[in-house]
Amino acid sequence: MSDVPAIGLGTWQNTDPEECAESVRTALEVGYRHIDTAQYYGNEEAVGEGIARADVPREDVFVGSKVHAEKFGLAHDEVIEGLEVTLDRLGLDKLDLLYVHWPVGNYDAAETLPAFDEVRDRGLIDHVGVCNFSTELLDEAMDHLDAPLVAHQAETHPLLQQDELVAHAQEHDYQHVAYSPLARGDVFDIPEVVAIAEKHGVSASQVSLAWLLSRENVSVVPKATGEAHIRDNLGALDLELDAEDIETIRGIEREERFVSRDGAPWLEA
């Protein structure tokens, strides 16, 4: 059901303005149609510059950003103010997707999420998403939204497979958007992934991304700056893993999470 493209360019830590703008331009011109940023990343202006530079019509580009409790706050009026600043920085009239970045700080489903409905009704965003939620918080969010929940972004890769969250996305027919899908580069050191990459004559990053994309209702937003890595990641769309490959990765027992923060739902359990 989702309008969220299968693969997007992640821009976290891409804070050099010129490098960021050029990586966004490059990604769009080699075939990406999804760009992911956030207030917290501090690069929305550069991302907007890259979108403007690219020889790709704006209506063909799916742009997502995130409002953050510690940037503007997540009270009703703060969400609207934060979105207006984000749009100004990006140089856009609207966003395709706006996320709650973390359910922390002054996030309150009953106050925060009606602001998302309001900006959607005003035509400032097309779709609503959340990030780093638990299934319980996802259920609560859906109860408070008039708009459909279109995406939940969470760290997901062969070392953090997120079966419960992916199943929830499949059950409720929204997109699970995998960030850090290359496990912060650790996929290059996972023996099972490396062996599958050698078998197919491709990179370990392509294997990790193709494995994620083999799951229903899953998209990926790998971070990359140089053209070679940008193109290599996009090549995952053309890699079809066989059932044995998929089961081999499913069977990895090592588990590691790379992204966390105070107040994260998995710390509250």
Side-chain angles (χ1 to χ4, degrees):
M1 58 79 64
S2 177
D3 292 328
V4 182
I7 189 167
L9 180 73
T11 62
W12 183 66
Q13 291 184 324
N14 194 350
T15 53
D16 178 274
E18 180 59 22
E19 182 178 62
C20 181
E22 276 300 290
S23 65
V24 170
R25 180 195 65 78
T26 298
L28 291 174
E29 293 190 350
V30 303
Y32 287 70
R33 292 297 179 264
H34 178 191
I35 303 297
D36 182 72
T37 185
Q39 291 172 351
Y40 189 76
Y41 299 170
N43 62 9
E44 288 174 317
E45 295 96 333
V47 168
E49 174 63 24
I51 293 168
R53 288 182 191 179
D55 188 22
V56 177
R58 165 64 184 102
E59 59 268 24
D60 292 345
V61 183
F62 189 96
V63 183
S65 193
K66 312 172 189 77
V67 288
H68 196 282
E70 288 152 18
K71 288 295 179 182
F72 293 92
L74 294 173
H76 182 279
D77 291 349
E78 293 170 338
V79 170
I80 296 169
E81 176 195 357
L83 171 61
E84 289 170 346
V85 172
T86 281
L87 290 172
D88 183 62
R89 288 173 174 169
L90 287 165
L92 301 179
D93 295 326
K94 71 172 186 178
L95 279 180
D96 298 274
L97 175 59
L98 182 67
Y99 296 92
V100 176
H101 203 157
W102 289 88
V104 300
N106 66 336
Y107 170 76
D108 178 78
E111 182 175 5
T112 302
L113 296 174
F116 278 67
D117 282 324
E118 180 178 327
V119 294
R120 180 175 178 266
D121 290 343
R122 288 171 53 188
L124 298 178
I125 68 172
D126 284 339
H127 300 298
V128 175
V130 296
C131 305
N132 303 300
F133 276 41
S134 62
T135 55
E136 293 78 13
L137 287 171
L138 287 162
D139 288 336
E140 179 189 48
M142 290 188 291
D143 285 343
H144 283 90
L145 280 168
D146 291 331
L149 181 70
V150 164
H152 174 224
Q153 193 168 133
E155 179 184 352
T156 315
H157 45 71
L159 300 181
L160 189 65
Q161 300 194 9
Q162 300 283 28
D163 292 343
E164 184 180 11
L165 292 176
V166 172
H168 193 275
Q170 292 167 348
E171 178 186 355
H172 296 280
D173 201 21
Y174 61 84
Q175 206 71 359
H176 179 94
V177 181
Y179 74 75
S180 296
L182 307 181
R184 296 289 177 85
D186 271 29
V187 293
F188 298 100
D189 298 315
I190 301 171
E192 296 90 339
V193 174
V194 171
I196 294 168
E198 291 174 350
K199 168 184 166 181
H200 290 279
V202 298
S203 66
S205 58
Q206 285 189 9
V207 170
S208 184
L209 296 172
W211 172 74
L212 288 163
L213 293 171
S214 74
R215 306 170 82 181
E216 290 184 17
N217 292 73
V218 175
S219 296
V220 295
V221 284
K223 183 181 71 172
T225 52
E227 182 173 349
H229 288 151
I230 289 170
R231 287 183 179 275
D232 185 66
N233 289 342
L234 189 64
L237 294 175
D238 299 320
L239 173 60
E240 187 168 345
L241 301 178
D242 60 41
E244 182 183 2
D245 301 329
I246 291 168
E247 285 308 307
T248 295
I249 295 174
R250 292 280 297 153
I252 294 173
E253 294 184 356
R254 174 184 162 201
E255 184 166 301
E256 189 164 355
R257 183 187 295 275
F258 295 92
V259 181
S260 193
R261 57 154 296 152
D262 291 345
W266 47 86
L267 299 178
E268 304 300 306

